[in-house]
Amino acid sequence: MAMTLHVDIVSAEKELFSGPVEMVTAPGELGELGILPRHSQLLTRLKPGQVRVRLQGGDEQLFYVSGGLLEVQPNLVTILSDTAERAKDLDEAAALSAKQRAEQVIADSRSEFEFARAKVELAEAIAQLQTIAKMRKQRKSS
Amino acid sequence: MAGAKEIRTKIKSIKSTQKITKAMEMVAASKMRKAQERMRAARPYATKIRNVISHLAHAHTEYRSPGLVEREIKRVGLIVVSTDRGLCGGLNTNLFKAAIVAMQQWRNQGIEIDVCTIGTKAFQFFRRLKGNIVAHVSHLGDAPRFEDVLGPVKVMADAFAEGRVDAIHLVYNEFVNTMSQKPKIEQLVPVTAEVKESAPVHRWDYIYEPDPKDLIELLLRRYGESVVYQALVENVACEMASRMVAMKSATDNAGALIDELQLIYNKARQASITQELAEIVGGAAAV
């Protein structure tokens, strides 16, 4: 029987494939990679493209990845696929808007974080919740 | 029968409140199921990338990323994941309490804190208390997308890379089960010993394509994103579970209240009938 290596293909939102295969082919950034068992450790970025796995017995399965990372350990391959194509400026824009949103609404001057007030507020809220729980218990027992 | 009429209106109004809470309970229950599925679906990626990071921490890499090395802490970044809406019991309150305890400890050690908030509730809370909010996103809905966390994570990761913060912590609710959610604080970077775990110690390094620095930084960034995303999805599941429980008890309470009022109403009604009868009998006797 041919040697196998374990392959996990995951994207942030779900698991795509997990199991033993004979060979896996992935679109590395510097070119197509074919990985067989006992490959040496490797870390690379993936281009958008197809990942092919050859299962035991010769059947093939295809997955589409839109970029991501590939890690190879001698008998384990992990493909961390990105969910969507990621442009650098997209990250930048998202970061900027997150910052802006924070700044927009904070008009008041920044001073020390008021621990005392935070504690009082939380204590009040918790007391309210406890009271409700207590009342409920009383009602049930009566 | 003025008293009786008032009670009747009250019962009616409580009944309609009960209908609303009942509906909210059922909506939360069905949303919770979906949120739990999403939580489960996001888990493999988080586990796998954690494994890769742990391999990486043991490799003798030619490039040591600052994200893997502990340094002296002068300022921490805190990412707080909360809900957008209320009516979910003590979920947010408990979370903020845990955050405050940690913040107080840092403050006592003279460590400054930058806060990044996800969800309106956290934002309102930290703004009111004049926390130093550096980034904020909200209204992500019940099915947050991976892209939604990129902004705040990037703000924090950049601050870390530039040395403005020396560690990033994440506060969120951990979904234990439907009845219980636990606030949790986790250190994101530098990657902690827990994540590093034990592994074989012989020397090896990766083959990098193309460049180790870029790759490792990218990997750490993805790691941060996936942990925050996982926290976000988990928090949604917590929100729904918590809301379901809160609404269920509200519905039960309304039921109990209605029963009580019904009793009072019946008594009032009977009293007025008795009174009328007495008046009639009294009148007849007088004639």
Side-chain angles (χ1 to χ4, degrees), chain B residues 1-4 266-284:
Chain B
M1 254 176 84
N266 288 348
K267 271 183 195 155
R269 187 174 141 267
Q270 213 154 28
S272 80
I273 292 170
T274 317
Q275 200 190 343
E276 262 173 49
L277 275 177
E279 275 164 12
I280 293 167
V281 173

Side-chain angles (χ1 to χ4, degrees), chain A residues 101-110, chain B residues 123 127 131-134:
Chain A
R101 235 166 296 158
E103 279 156 10
Q104 245 172 30
V105 201
I106 301 175
D108 44 347
S109 63
R110 281 193 193 151
Chain B
F123 184 70
R127 184 184 51 170
N132 186 17
I133 303 176
V134 292

Side-chain angles (χ1 to χ4, degrees), chain A residues 53-87:
Chain A
V53 292
R54 196 165 73 211
L55 304 171
Q56 282 166 299
D59 287 343
E60 281 210 340
Q61 265 188 27
L62 277 178
F63 300 93
Y64 176 77
V65 293
S66 44
L69 283 160
L70 170 83
E71 193 226 13
V72 183
Q73 291 285 337
N75 284 305
L76 175 73
V77 173
T78 312
I79 294 175
L80 303 164
S81 154
D82 290 340
T83 28
E85 271 186 56
R86 301 265 304 245

